[in-house]
Amino acid sequence: MISFVPPLSRLLLWPSLIIALSLWLKGGAAAGGGFPAGALAGLAVLLQYVTAGRDQARRYAAVRYAAPLAGVGLLLVVGTAFLPVLAGYAPMSLFPRPEQPEVGVGGLHLHTALIFEGGLMLIVFGLVVTVIDRFTLRTGAEEGAGP
């Protein structure tokens, strides 16, 4: 019997990632977009692990490099938090400053909150995918072990 679940999971992967991206961009304009974006992207990858298996899911570059992505996210978050201190501002200061013009395209305004939320998204995604990958590695090794 042929199952419709693996093709459906592959079909849902890219729309899920696009929705995660839109959640992240929403976080640049309002509070709290990075964590749900990373969680949604991680759950989309988890669906690939469950339906297609570890080897098929690891074909995606973002899955193979999930741990370094979490490290990059941590650098973005820490940098966004503490680089303003070097310029004499308080930690977590928003740039551009209120008296400066904002750079942006349409309704998307580029500022430090967007970078912070992006770093948070990378941390959550990287940790979720790395944990999933390590668990599947562990269970795959136990299943292949003989008596």
Side-chain angles (χ1 to χ4, degrees):
M1 183 166 141
I2 297 175
S3 175
F4 68 92
V5 176
L8 183 63
S9 70
R10 284 191 302 272
L11 186 68
L12 290 175
L13 176 66
W14 290 108
S16 299
L17 295 178
I18 290 170
I19 292 170
L21 181 67
S22 69
L23 284 173
W24 166 59
L25 292 174
K26 173 241 167 220
F35 186 85
L40 178 62
L43 287 174
V45 170
L46 173 62
L47 183 62
Q48 300 305 307
Y49 270 90
V50 169
T51 59
R54 182 176 191 263
D55 293 334
Q56 185 70 25
R58 287 186 58 85
R59 291 185 182 188
Y60 298 108
V63 174
R64 286 193 310 269
Y65 299 112
L69 282 175
V72 168
L74 186 61
L75 287 175
L76 286 173
V77 167
V78 170
T80 305
F82 292 110
L83 281 179
V85 174
L86 297 177
Y89 294 102
M92 296 294 294
S93 294
L94 183 65
F95 288 96
R97 306 300 296 163
E99 61 274 2
Q100 297 172 335
E102 288 187 354
V103 177
V105 176
L108 174 64
H109 298 284
L110 302 176
H111 46 78
T112 53
L114 189 66
I115 298 169
F116 183 84
E117 293 289 342
L120 188 59
M121 178 184 72
L122 290 175
I123 291 171
V124 172
F125 174 77
L127 290 178
V128 166
V129 172
T130 301
V131 167
I132 292 167
D133 191 55
R134 298 297 181 241
F135 278 149
T136 57
L137 177 65
R138 178 61 119 181
T139 57
E142 291 172 356
E143 290 173 1

CSV table of all heavy atoms in Angstrom, one decimal, residues 46-109:
chain,number,residue,atom,x,y,z
A,46,LEU,N,11.3,18.3,11.5
A,46,LEU,CA,10.9,17.1,12.3
A,46,LEU,C,9.9,16.2,11.5
A,46,LEU,O,10.0,15.0,11.5
A,46,LEU,CB,10.2,17.5,13.6
A,46,LEU,CG,9.6,16.4,14.4
A,46,LEU,CD1,10.7,15.3,14.8
A,46,LEU,CD2,8.9,16.9,15.7
A,47,LEU,N,9.0,16.9,10.8
A,47,LEU,CA,8.1,16.1,9.9
A,47,LEU,C,8.8,15.4,8.9
A,47,LEU,O,8.5,14.2,8.5
A,47,LEU,CB,7.0,17.1,9.3
A,47,LEU,CG,6.0,16.4,8.4
A,47,LEU,CD1,5.1,15.5,9.2
A,47,LEU,CD2,5.1,17.5,7.8
A,48,GLN,N,9.9,15.9,8.3
A,48,GLN,CA,10.7,15.3,7.3
A,48,GLN,C,11.4,14.1,7.9
A,48,GLN,O,11.5,13.0,7.3
A,48,GLN,CB,11.7,16.2,6.7
A,48,GLN,CG,11.2,17.4,6.0
A,48,GLN,CD,10.1,17.0,5.0
A,48,GLN,OE1,10.4,16.2,4.1
A,48,GLN,NE2,9.0,17.6,5.1
A,49,TYR,N,11.9,14.2,9.2
A,49,TYR,CA,12.6,13.1,9.9
A,49,TYR,C,11.6,11.9,10.1
A,49,TYR,O,11.9,10.8,9.9
A,49,TYR,CB,13.1,13.6,11.2
A,49,TYR,CG,14.5,14.1,11.1
A,49,TYR,CD1,14.8,15.4,10.9
A,49,TYR,CD2,15.6,13.2,11.3
A,49,TYR,CE1,16.1,15.9,10.8
A,49,TYR,CE2,16.9,13.6,11.3
A,49,TYR,CZ,17.2,15.0,11.0
A,49,TYR,OH,18.5,15.4,11.0
A,50,VAL,N,10.4,12.3,10.5
A,50,VAL,CA,9.4,11.2,10.8
A,50,VAL,C,9.0,10.5,9.6
A,50,VAL,O,8.8,9.3,9.6
A,50,VAL,CB,8.2,11.9,11.6
A,50,VAL,CG1,7.1,10.9,11.7
A,50,VAL,CG2,8.6,12.3,12.9
A,51,THR,N,8.7,11.2,8.5
A,51,THR,CA,8.1,10.6,7.3
A,51,THR,C,9.2,10.0,6.4
A,51,THR,O,9.0,8.9,5.8
A,51,THR,CB,7.3,11.6,6.5
A,51,THR,OG1,8.1,12.7,6.1
A,51,THR,CG2,6.1,12.0,7.3
A,52,ALA,N,10.3,10.7,6.2
A,52,ALA,CA,11.3,10.2,5.2
A,52,ALA,C,12.5,9.5,5.8
A,52,ALA,O,13.2,8.8,5.1
A,52,ALA,CB,11.8,11.4,4.4
A,53,GLY,N,12.8,9.8,7.1
A,53,GLY,CA,13.9,9.2,7.7
A,53,GLY,C,15.1,10.2,7.8
A,53,GLY,O,15.1,11.2,7.2
A,54,ARG,N,16.1,9.8,8.6
A,54,ARG,CA,17.2,10.6,8.9
A,54,ARG,C,18.0,10.9,7.6
A,54,ARG,O,18.4,12.1,7.4
A,54,ARG,CB,18.1,10.0,9.9
A,54,ARG,CG,19.3,10.9,10.3
A,54,ARG,CD,20.0,10.2,11.5
A,54,ARG,NE,21.0,11.1,12.0
A,54,ARG,CZ,22.3,11.1,11.7
A,54,ARG,NH1,22.7,10.3,10.8
A,54,ARG,NH2,23.1,12.0,12.2
A,55,ASP,N,18.3,9.9,6.8
A,55,ASP,CA,19.2,10.1,5.7
A,55,ASP,C,18.6,11.1,4.7
A,55,ASP,O,19.3,11.9,4.1
A,55,ASP,CB,19.5,8.8,5.0
A,55,ASP,CG,20.3,7.9,5.9
A,55,ASP,OD1,21.1,8.4,6.7
A,55,ASP,OD2,20.2,6.6,5.7
A,56,GLN,N,17.3,11.0,4.4
A,56,GLN,CA,16.6,11.9,3.5
A,56,GLN,C,16.5,13.3,4.0
A,56,GLN,O,16.7,14.2,3.3
A,56,GLN,CB,15.2,11.3,3.2
A,56,GLN,CG,14.4,12.1,2.2
A,56,GLN,CD,15.0,11.9,0.8
A,56,GLN,OE1,15.7,10.9,0.5
A,56,GLN,NE2,14.8,12.9,-0.1
A,57,ALA,N,16.3,13.4,5.3
A,57,ALA,CA,16.2,14.8,5.9
A,57,ALA,C,17.5,15.5,5.9
A,57,ALA,O,17.6,16.7,5.8
A,57,ALA,CB,15.6,14.7,7.3
A,58,ARG,N,18.6,14.7,6.1
A,58,ARG,CA,19.9,15.3,6.1
A,58,ARG,C,20.4,15.8,4.8
A,58,ARG,O,21.5,16.4,4.7
A,58,ARG,CB,20.9,14.4,6.8
A,58,ARG,CG,20.7,14.3,8.3
A,58,ARG,CD,21.8,13.5,8.9
A,58,ARG,NE,23.1,14.0,8.7
A,58,ARG,CZ,23.7,14.9,9.5
A,58,ARG,NH1,23.1,15.5,10.4
A,58,ARG,NH2,25.0,15.3,9.2
A,59,ARG,N,19.7,15.6,3.7
A,59,ARG,CA,20.0,16.1,2.4
A,59,ARG,C,19.9,17.6,2.3
A,59,ARG,O,20.5,18.2,1.4
A,59,ARG,CB,19.2,15.4,1.3
A,59,ARG,CG,19.6,14.0,1.2
A,59,ARG,CD,18.8,13.3,0.0
A,59,ARG,NE,19.2,11.9,0.0
A,59,ARG,CZ,18.8,11.1,-1.0
A,59,ARG,NH1,18.1,11.6,-2.0
A,59,ARG,NH2,19.2,9.9,-1.0
A,60,TYR,N,19.1,18.2,3.2
A,60,TYR,CA,18.9,19.6,3.2
A,60,TYR,C,20.1,20.3,3.9
A,60,TYR,O,20.5,19.8,5.0
A,60,TYR,CB,17.6,20.0,3.9
A,60,TYR,CG,16.4,19.5,3.2
A,60,TYR,CD1,15.6,18.5,3.8
A,60,TYR,CD2,15.9,20.0,2.0
A,60,TYR,CE1,14.5,18.0,3.2
A,60,TYR,CE2,14.8,19.5,1.4
A,60,TYR,CZ,14.1,18.5,2.0
A,60,TYR,OH,13.0,18.0,1.4
A,61,ALA,N,20.6,21.3,3.3
A,61,ALA,CA,21.8,22.0,3.9
A,61,ALA,C,21.6,22.6,5.3
A,61,ALA,O,22.4,22.5,6.1
A,61,ALA,CB,22.3,23.1,2.9
A,62,ALA,N,20.4,23.1,5.5
A,62,ALA,CA,20.0,23.7,6.8
A,62,ALA,C,20.0,22.7,7.9
A,62,ALA,O,20.3,23.0,9.0
A,62,ALA,CB,18.7,24.4,6.7
A,63,VAL,N,19.7,21.4,7.5
A,63,VAL,CA,19.7,20.3,8.5
A,63,VAL,C,21.1,19.9,8.8
A,63,VAL,O,21.5,19.7,10.0
A,63,VAL,CB,18.8,19.2,8.0
A,63,VAL,CG1,18.9,18.0,8.9
A,63,VAL,CG2,17.4,19.6,7.8
A,64,ARG,N,21.9,19.8,7.8
A,64,ARG,CA,23.3,19.4,8.0
A,64,ARG,C,24.1,20.4,8.8
A,64,ARG,O,25.0,20.0,9.6
A,64,ARG,CB,24.0,19.1,6.7
A,64,ARG,CG,23.6,17.9,6.0
A,64,ARG,CD,24.6,17.6,4.8
A,64,ARG,NE,24.8,18.7,3.9
A,64,ARG,CZ,24.1,19.0,2.8
A,64,ARG,NH1,23.1,18.2,2.5
A,64,ARG,NH2,24.4,20.0,2.1
A,65,TYR,N,23.8,21.7,8.7
A,65,TYR,CA,24.5,22.7,9.3
A,65,TYR,C,23.7,23.4,10.4
A,65,TYR,O,23.8,24.6,10.7
A,65,TYR,CB,25.0,23.8,8.3
A,65,TYR,CG,25.9,23.2,7.3
A,65,TYR,CD1,25.5,23.1,6.0
A,65,TYR,CD2,27.2,22.7,7.6
A,65,TYR,CE1,26.3,22.5,5.0
A,65,TYR,CE2,28.0,22.2,6.7
A,65,TYR,CZ,27.6,22.1,5.4
A,65,TYR,OH,28.4,21.5,4.4
A,66,ALA,N,22.8,22.6,11.1
A,66,ALA,CA,21.9,23.2,12.1
A,66,ALA,C,22.7,23.7,13.3
A,66,ALA,O,22.4,24.8,13.8
A,66,ALA,CB,20.9,22.2,12.5
A,67,ALA,N,23.7,23.0,13.8
A,67,ALA,CA,24.5,23.4,15.0
A,67,ALA,C,25.3,24.7,14.7
A,67,ALA,O,25.2,25.6,15.5
A,67,ALA,CB,25.4,22.3,15.4
A,68,PRO,N,26.0,24.8,13.5
A,68,PRO,CA,26.6,26.1,13.3
A,68,PRO,C,25.6,27.2,13.1
A,68,PRO,O,25.9,28.4,13.4
A,68,PRO,CB,27.4,25.8,11.9
A,68,PRO,CG,27.6,24.4,11.9
A,68,PRO,CD,26.4,23.8,12.6
A,69,LEU,N,24.4,26.9,12.6
A,69,LEU,CA,23.4,28.0,12.5
A,69,LEU,C,23.0,28.5,13.8
A,69,LEU,O,22.8,29.7,14.0
A,69,LEU,CB,22.2,27.5,11.7
A,69,LEU,CG,22.3,27.4,10.2
A,69,LEU,CD1,21.0,26.8,9.6
A,69,LEU,CD2,22.5,28.8,9.6
A,70,ALA,N,22.9,27.6,14.8
A,70,ALA,CA,22.6,28.0,16.2
A,70,ALA,C,23.7,28.9,16.7
A,70,ALA,O,23.5,29.9,17.4
A,70,ALA,CB,22.4,26.8,17.1
A,71,GLY,N,25.0,28.6,16.4
A,71,GLY,CA,26.1,29.4,16.8
A,71,GLY,C,26.1,30.8,16.2
A,71,GLY,O,26.4,31.8,16.9
A,72,VAL,N,25.8,30.8,14.9
A,72,VAL,CA,25.6,32.1,14.2
A,72,VAL,C,24.5,33.0,14.9
A,72,VAL,O,24.6,34.2,15.1
A,72,VAL,CB,25.4,32.0,12.7
A,72,VAL,CG1,25.0,33.3,12.1
A,72,VAL,CG2,26.6,31.4,12.1
A,73,GLY,N,23.4,32.3,15.2
A,73,GLY,CA,22.3,33.0,15.9
A,73,GLY,C,22.7,33.5,17.2
A,73,GLY,O,22.3,34.6,17.6
A,74,LEU,N,23.5,32.7,18.0
A,74,LEU,CA,24.0,33.2,19.3
A,74,LEU,C,24.9,34.4,19.1
A,74,LEU,O,24.8,35.4,19.9
A,74,LEU,CB,24.7,32.1,20.0
A,74,LEU,CG,25.1,32.4,21.4
A,74,LEU,CD1,23.9,32.7,22.3
A,74,LEU,CD2,25.9,31.2,22.0
A,75,LEU,N,25.7,34.4,18.1
A,75,LEU,CA,26.6,35.6,17.8
A,75,LEU,C,25.7,36.8,17.5
A,75,LEU,O,26.1,37.9,17.9
A,75,LEU,CB,27.6,35.3,16.7
A,75,LEU,CG,28.7,34.3,17.1
A,75,LEU,CD1,29.6,34.0,15.8
A,75,LEU,CD2,29.6,34.9,18.2
A,76,LEU,N,24.7,36.6,16.7
A,76,LEU,CA,23.8,37.7,16.3
A,76,LEU,C,23.1,38.3,17.5
A,76,LEU,O,23.0,39.5,17.7
A,76,LEU,CB,22.8,37.3,15.3
A,76,LEU,CG,23.3,37.1,13.9
A,76,LEU,CD1,22.2,36.5,13.0
A,76,LEU,CD2,23.8,38.4,13.3
A,77,VAL,N,22.6,37.4,18.4
A,77,VAL,CA,21.9,37.9,19.6
A,77,VAL,C,22.8,38.6,20.5
A,77,VAL,O,22.5,39.7,21.0
A,77,VAL,CB,21.2,36.7,20.3
A,77,VAL,CG1,20.7,37.1,21.7
A,77,VAL,CG2,20.0,36.2,19.4
A,78,VAL,N,24.0,38.0,20.8
A,78,VAL,CA,24.9,38.7,21.7
A,78,VAL,C,25.5,40.0,21.1
A,78,VAL,O,25.6,41.0,21.8
A,78,VAL,CB,26.1,37.7,22.1
A,78,VAL,CG1,27.2,38.4,22.8
A,78,VAL,CG2,25.5,36.5,22.9
A,79,GLY,N,25.8,39.9,19.8
A,79,GLY,CA,26.3,41.2,19.2
A,79,GLY,C,25.3,42.3,19.2
A,79,GLY,O,25.6,43.4,19.4
A,80,THR,N,24.0,41.9,18.9
A,80,THR,CA,22.9,42.9,18.9
A,80,THR,C,22.7,43.5,20.4
A,80,THR,O,22.4,44.7,20.5
A,80,THR,CB,21.6,42.3,18.4
A,80,THR,OG1,21.8,41.8,17.2
A,80,THR,CG2,20.5,43.4,18.3
A,81,ALA,N,23.0,42.6,21.3
A,81,ALA,CA,22.7,43.1,22.7
A,81,ALA,C,23.9,44.0,23.2
A,81,ALA,O,23.7,44.9,23.9
A,81,ALA,CB,22.6,41.9,23.6
A,82,PHE,N,25.1,43.6,22.9
A,82,PHE,CA,26.3,44.3,23.5
A,82,PHE,C,27.1,45.2,22.6
A,82,PHE,O,27.9,45.9,23.2
A,82,PHE,CB,27.1,43.2,24.2
A,82,PHE,CG,26.5,42.6,25.4
A,82,PHE,CD1,26.1,41.2,25.3
A,82,PHE,CD2,26.2,43.3,26.5
A,82,PHE,CE1,25.4,40.6,26.3
A,82,PHE,CE2,25.5,42.7,27.6
A,82,PHE,CZ,25.1,41.4,27.5
A,83,LEU,N,27.0,45.2,21.3
A,83,LEU,CA,27.7,46.1,20.5
A,83,LEU,C,27.3,47.6,20.7
A,83,LEU,O,28.2,48.4,20.7
A,83,LEU,CB,27.6,45.7,19.0
A,83,LEU,CG,28.4,44.6,18.5
A,83,LEU,CD1,28.2,44.3,17.1
A,83,LEU,CD2,29.9,44.8,18.8
A,84,PRO,N,26.1,47.9,21.1
A,84,PRO,CA,25.8,49.3,21.4
A,84,PRO,C,26.6,49.8,22.6
A,84,PRO,O,26.9,51.0,22.7
A,84,PRO,CB,24.3,49.3,21.7
A,84,PRO,CG,23.8,48.1,20.9
A,84,PRO,CD,24.8,47.1,21.0
A,85,VAL,N,27.0,48.9,23.5
A,85,VAL,CA,27.8,49.3,24.7
A,85,VAL,C,29.1,49.9,24.2
A,85,VAL,O,29.6,50.9,24.8
A,85,VAL,CB,28.0,48.1,25.6
A,85,VAL,CG1,29.0,48.5,26.8
A,85,VAL,CG2,26.7,47.7,26.2
A,86,LEU,N,29.7,49.4,23.1
A,86,LEU,CA,31.0,49.9,22.6
A,86,LEU,C,30.8,51.3,22.1
A,86,LEU,O,31.8,52.1,22.1
A,86,LEU,CB,31.5,49.0,21.5
A,86,LEU,CG,31.9,47.6,21.9
A,86,LEU,CD1,32.3,46.7,20.7
A,86,LEU,CD2,32.9,47.6,23.0
A,87,ALA,N,29.6,51.7,21.6
A,87,ALA,CA,29.4,53.0,21.1
A,87,ALA,C,28.9,54.0,22.2
A,87,ALA,O,28.5,55.1,22.0
A,87,ALA,CB,28.4,53.0,20.0
A,88,GLY,N,28.8,53.5,23.5
A,88,GLY,CA,28.4,54.3,24.6
A,88,GLY,C,26.9,54.3,24.9
A,88,GLY,O,26.4,55.1,25.7
A,89,TYR,N,26.2,53.4,24.3
A,89,TYR,CA,24.7,53.3,24.5
A,89,TYR,C,24.5,52.2,25.5
A,89,TYR,O,25.3,51.4,25.8
A,89,TYR,CB,24.0,53.0,23.2
A,89,TYR,CG,24.1,54.2,22.2
A,89,TYR,CD1,24.9,54.1,21.1
A,89,TYR,CD2,23.3,55.3,22.3
A,89,TYR,CE1,25.0,55.1,20.2
A,89,TYR,CE2,23.3,56.3,21.4
A,89,TYR,CZ,24.2,56.2,20.4
A,89,TYR,OH,24.3,57.2,19.5
A,90,ALA,N,23.2,52.1,26.0
A,90,ALA,CA,22.8,51.1,26.9
A,90,ALA,C,22.7,49.7,26.1
A,90,ALA,O,22.5,49.8,24.9
A,90,ALA,CB,21.5,51.4,27.5
A,91,PRO,N,22.9,48.6,26.8
A,91,PRO,CA,22.7,47.3,26.1
A,91,PRO,C,21.3,47.2,25.5
A,91,PRO,O,20.4,47.8,26.0
A,91,PRO,CB,22.9,46.3,27.2
A,91,PRO,CG,23.7,47.0,28.2
A,91,PRO,CD,23.3,48.4,28.1
A,92,MET,N,21.2,46.5,24.4
A,92,MET,CA,19.9,46.3,23.7
A,92,MET,C,19.3,47.6,23.1
A,92,MET,O,18.1,47.8,23.0
A,92,MET,CB,18.9,45.6,24.6
A,92,MET,CG,19.3,44.2,25.0
A,92,MET,SD,19.3,43.1,23.6
A,92,MET,CE,17.6,43.0,23.1
A,93,SER,N,20.2,48.6,22.9
A,93,SER,CA,19.7,49.9,22.3
A,93,SER,C,19.2,49.6,20.8
A,93,SER,O,19.8,48.9,20.1
A,93,SER,CB,20.8,50.9,22.3
A,93,SER,OG,21.1,51.3,23.6
A,94,LEU,N,18.1,50.3,20.5
A,94,LEU,CA,17.6,50.1,19.1
A,94,LEU,C,18.3,51.1,18.2
A,94,LEU,O,18.5,52.3,18.5
A,94,LEU,CB,16.1,50.5,19.2
A,94,LEU,CG,15.3,50.3,17.8
A,94,LEU,CD1,15.3,48.8,17.4
A,94,LEU,CD2,13.9,50.8,18.0
A,95,PHE,N,18.7,50.6,17.0
A,95,PHE,CA,19.3,51.4,16.0
A,95,PHE,C,18.5,51.1,14.7
A,95,PHE,O,18.1,50.0,14.5
A,95,PHE,CB,20.7,51.0,15.7
A,95,PHE,CG,21.6,51.5,16.8
A,95,PHE,CD1,22.0,50.6,17.9
A,95,PHE,CD2,22.1,52.8,16.8
A,95,PHE,CE1,22.8,51.1,18.9
A,95,PHE,CE2,22.9,53.2,17.8
A,95,PHE,CZ,23.3,52.4,18.9
A,96,PRO,N,18.2,52.1,13.9
A,96,PRO,CA,18.6,53.5,14.0
A,96,PRO,C,17.9,54.2,15.2
A,96,PRO,O,16.8,53.8,15.5
A,96,PRO,CB,18.3,54.1,12.7
A,96,PRO,CG,17.2,53.2,12.1
A,96,PRO,CD,17.5,51.9,12.7
A,97,ARG,N,18.5,55.2,15.7
A,97,ARG,CA,18.0,55.9,16.9
A,97,ARG,C,16.7,56.6,16.4
A,97,ARG,O,16.5,56.8,15.3
A,97,ARG,CB,19.0,56.9,17.4
A,97,ARG,CG,20.4,56.4,17.7
A,97,ARG,CD,20.3,55.3,18.8
A,97,ARG,NE,19.9,55.9,20.1
A,97,ARG,CZ,19.4,55.2,21.1
A,97,ARG,NH1,19.4,53.9,21.0
A,97,ARG,NH2,19.0,55.7,22.2
A,98,PRO,N,15.8,57.0,17.4
A,98,PRO,CA,14.6,57.6,17.0
A,98,PRO,C,14.7,58.9,16.2
A,98,PRO,O,13.8,59.2,15.4
A,98,PRO,CB,13.9,58.0,18.4
A,98,PRO,CG,14.5,57.0,19.3
A,98,PRO,CD,15.9,56.7,18.8
A,99,GLU,N,15.8,59.6,16.3
A,99,GLU,CA,15.9,60.9,15.5
A,99,GLU,C,16.5,60.6,14.2
A,99,GLU,O,16.6,61.5,13.3
A,99,GLU,CB,16.8,61.9,16.3
A,99,GLU,CG,18.2,61.4,16.6
A,99,GLU,CD,18.4,60.6,17.9
A,99,GLU,OE1,17.4,60.4,18.6
A,99,GLU,OE2,19.5,60.2,18.2
A,100,GLN,N,17.0,59.4,13.9
A,100,GLN,CA,17.5,59.0,12.6
A,100,GLN,C,16.5,58.4,11.7
A,100,GLN,O,15.6,57.8,12.2
A,100,GLN,CB,18.7,58.0,12.8
A,100,GLN,CG,19.9,58.6,13.6
A,100,GLN,CD,20.9,57.5,13.9
A,100,GLN,OE1,20.6,56.3,13.9
A,100,GLN,NE2,22.1,58.0,14.1
A,101,PRO,N,16.6,58.6,10.4
A,101,PRO,CA,15.7,58.0,9.5
A,101,PRO,C,15.9,56.5,9.4
A,101,PRO,O,17.0,56.0,9.5
A,101,PRO,CB,16.0,58.6,8.1
A,101,PRO,CG,17.4,59.1,8.2
A,101,PRO,CD,17.6,59.4,9.7
A,102,GLU,N,14.8,55.8,9.2
A,102,GLU,CA,14.8,54.3,9.1
A,102,GLU,C,15.1,53.9,7.7
A,102,GLU,O,14.6,54.5,6.7
A,102,GLU,CB,13.5,53.7,9.6
A,102,GLU,CG,13.3,53.7,11.1
A,102,GLU,CD,12.1,53.0,11.5
A,102,GLU,OE1,11.4,52.4,10.7
A,102,GLU,OE2,11.9,52.9,12.7
A,103,VAL,N,15.8,52.8,7.5
A,103,VAL,CA,16.1,52.2,6.2
A,103,VAL,C,15.1,51.1,6.0
A,103,VAL,O,14.9,50.3,7.0
A,103,VAL,CB,17.5,51.7,6.1
A,103,VAL,CG1,17.7,51.1,4.7
A,103,VAL,CG2,18.5,52.8,6.3
A,104,GLY,N,14.4,51.0,4.9
A,104,GLY,CA,13.5,49.9,4.7
A,104,GLY,C,12.9,49.8,3.3
A,104,GLY,O,13.2,50.7,2.5
A,105,VAL,N,12.2,48.8,3.1
A,105,VAL,CA,11.6,48.5,1.9
A,105,VAL,C,10.1,48.3,2.2
A,105,VAL,O,9.8,47.3,2.9
A,105,VAL,CB,12.2,47.3,1.1
A,105,VAL,CG1,11.4,47.0,-0.1
A,105,VAL,CG2,13.6,47.5,0.9
A,106,GLY,N,9.2,49.1,1.7
A,106,GLY,CA,7.8,48.9,1.9
A,106,GLY,C,7.5,49.1,3.4
A,106,GLY,O,7.9,50.0,4.1
A,107,GLY,N,6.8,48.1,4.0
A,107,GLY,CA,6.5,48.1,5.4
A,107,GLY,C,7.6,47.4,6.3
A,107,GLY,O,7.5,47.4,7.5
A,108,LEU,N,8.6,46.9,5.6
A,108,LEU,CA,9.7,46.3,6.4
A,108,LEU,C,10.8,47.3,6.7
A,108,LEU,O,11.4,47.9,5.8
A,108,LEU,CB,10.3,45.1,5.5
A,108,LEU,CG,11.6,44.4,6.1
A,108,LEU,CD1,11.2,43.8,7.4
A,108,LEU,CD2,12.1,43.5,5.1
A,109,HIS,N,11.0,47.6,7.9
A,109,HIS,CA,12.1,48.5,8.4
A,109,HIS,C,13.2,47.7,9.0
A,109,HIS,O,13.0,46.9,9.8
A,109,HIS,CB,11.5,49.5,9.4
A,109,HIS,CG,10.4,50.3,8.8
A,109,HIS,ND1,10.6,51.4,8.0
A,109,HIS,CD2,9.0,50.2,9.0
A,109,HIS,CE1,9.5,51.9,7.6
A,109,HIS,NE2,8.5,51.2,8.2
